[in-house]
């Protein structure tokens, strides 16, 4: 089975793989939820799964297939290279990860190897990716903790920056001097260990402390 949110890519890959005398594509689906359902109902030997799909993404779909249809092997595909995507694939239960730009002959060979239960990657490559993934996850956890230490006033300043206000507007709106505002911003950068106001705003948005705004300056809650 092929799961890719771009049906044209999935169908083109189906044509290419069907030309291999020992391979047959039984289904092309365009979302993770359907991929899980088809895997449960039809038990394909191997699934080629796009990492990025709307709704249930490829990683979550892989976890569900690995849990509910454990005889089905999953190979994750992506159009973007990533230092840790191999680790994320392995943790989700996939046999491995390949780029969409791989030659069809390489994909066909990977399908055969996955079906036979053979590794798709050298053990050292997997270990390196897992080490980078653990380091990234640890760094993300530390950033989340730092964001939690921001005061309500600091978060209010970040919210105003996210809304596009300049320093003069923020100072006037909060009734503080420009010097005091600069001090608050420097404290935020120090607490988060980031180098710019943009990085600080992105971190606060990522962990739900600051709301994104639309073209009219309204937050998510105000536009829903």
């Amino acid at each position: 089975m092929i799961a890719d949110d771009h049906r044209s890519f999935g169908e083109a890959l189906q044509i290419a793989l069907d030309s291999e005398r020992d391979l047959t594509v039984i289904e092309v689906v365009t979302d993770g939820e359907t991929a899980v359902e088809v895997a449960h109902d039809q038990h394909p030997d191997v699934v080629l799964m796009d990492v990025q799909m709307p709704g249930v993404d490829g990683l979550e779909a892989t976890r569900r297939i690995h849990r509910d249809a454990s005889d089905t092997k999953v190979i994750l595909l992506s159009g973007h290279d990533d230092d840790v995507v191999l680790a994320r694939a392995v943790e989700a239960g996939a046999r491995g990860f390949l780029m969409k730009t791989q030659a069809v002959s390489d994909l066909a060979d990977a399908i055969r190897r996955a079906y036979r239960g053979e590794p798709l990657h050298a053990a050292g490559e997997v270990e390196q990716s897992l080490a980078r993934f653990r380091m990234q996850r640890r760094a993300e956890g530390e950033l989340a903790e730092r964001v939690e230490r921001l005061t309500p006033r600091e978060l209010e300043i970040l919210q105003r920056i996210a809304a596009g206000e300049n320093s003069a507007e923020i100072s006037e709106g909060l009734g503080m001097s420009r010097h005091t505002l600069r001090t608050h911003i420097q404290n935020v950068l120090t607490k988060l260990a980031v180098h710019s106001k943009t990085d600080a705003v992105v971190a606060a948005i990522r962990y739900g402390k600051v709301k994104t705004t639309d073209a009219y300056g309204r937050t998510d809650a105000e536009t829903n």
Side-chain angles (χ1 to χ4, degrees):
M1 177 175 65
I2 298 170
D4 193 289
D5 60 337
H6 293 91
R7 178 168 289 279
S8 57
F9 174 83
E11 291 178 344
L13 189 54
Q14 176 184 20
I15 294 170
L17 291 176
D18 277 342
S19 67
E20 300 284 328
R21 59 187 179 85
D22 59 335
L23 301 180
T24 301
V25 178
I26 61 172
E27 192 84 44
V28 175
V29 301
T30 56
D31 63 271
E33 193 72 50
T34 305
V36 174
E37 293 173 1
V38 172
H40 181 270
D41 294 339
Q42 300 193 39
H43 303 285
D45 294 316
V46 179
V47 175
L48 296 180
M49 180 83 71
D50 188 10
V51 172
Q52 295 180 326
M53 290 186 290
V56 177
D57 65 16
L59 289 165
E60 178 58 26
T62 298
R63 291 187 191 96
R64 296 185 190 180
I65 291 172
H66 184 64
R67 181 190 65 211
D68 301 332
S70 57
D71 289 340
T72 295
K73 311 298 192 300
V74 180
I75 300 172
L76 282 165
L77 300 178
S78 178
H80 307 283
D81 202 0
D82 187 323
D83 284 345
V84 300
V85 71
L86 173 56
R88 296 170 68 202
V90 171
E91 286 206 340
R95 298 298 300 178
F97 158 76
L98 295 173
M99 294 290 295
K100 287 185 175 182
T101 52
Q102 296 275 159
V104 172
S105 59
D106 292 336
L107 287 176
D109 182 57
I111 291 169
R112 296 183 184 103
R113 290 164 61 192
Y115 173 66
R116 294 193 298 262
E118 298 173 3
L120 302 188
H121 306 275
E125 182 184 3
V126 175
E127 283 302 318
Q128 288 178 4
S129 184
L130 285 169
R132 287 191 292 266
F133 183 45
R134 294 185 192 107
M135 185 180 301
Q136 182 186 86
R137 190 158 53 185
R138 185 163 55 249
E140 290 174 352
E142 291 170 355
L143 180 58
E145 291 178 359
R146 290 195 292 267
V147 169
E148 289 294 332
R149 299 189 193 120
L150 296 177
T151 66
R153 176 62 88 185
E154 290 165 347
L155 289 173
E156 187 175 9
I157 290 170
L158 290 179
Q159 182 64 69
R160 288 174 176 267
I161 294 173
E165 294 186 19
N166 59 36
S167 296
E169 291 169 331
I170 296 173
S171 297
E172 182 179 352
L174 297 180
M176 64 175 62
S177 69
R178 297 281 291 274
H179 175 74
T180 300
L181 176 61
R182 283 195 297 272
T183 299
H184 277 301
I185 291 175
Q186 187 56 54
N187 288 341
V188 168
L189 300 184
T190 300
K191 284 183 179 180
L192 298 183
V194 296
H195 301 293
S196 70
K197 291 184 289 186
T198 300
D199 290 340
V201 169
V202 168
I205 291 173
R206 181 174 185 178
Y207 295 103
K209 297 298 182 179
V210 164
K211 303 295 184 182
T212 55
T213 59
D214 65 12
Y216 302 98
R218 298 176 300 182
T219 66
D220 294 335
E222 293 169 330
T223 56
N224 289 336

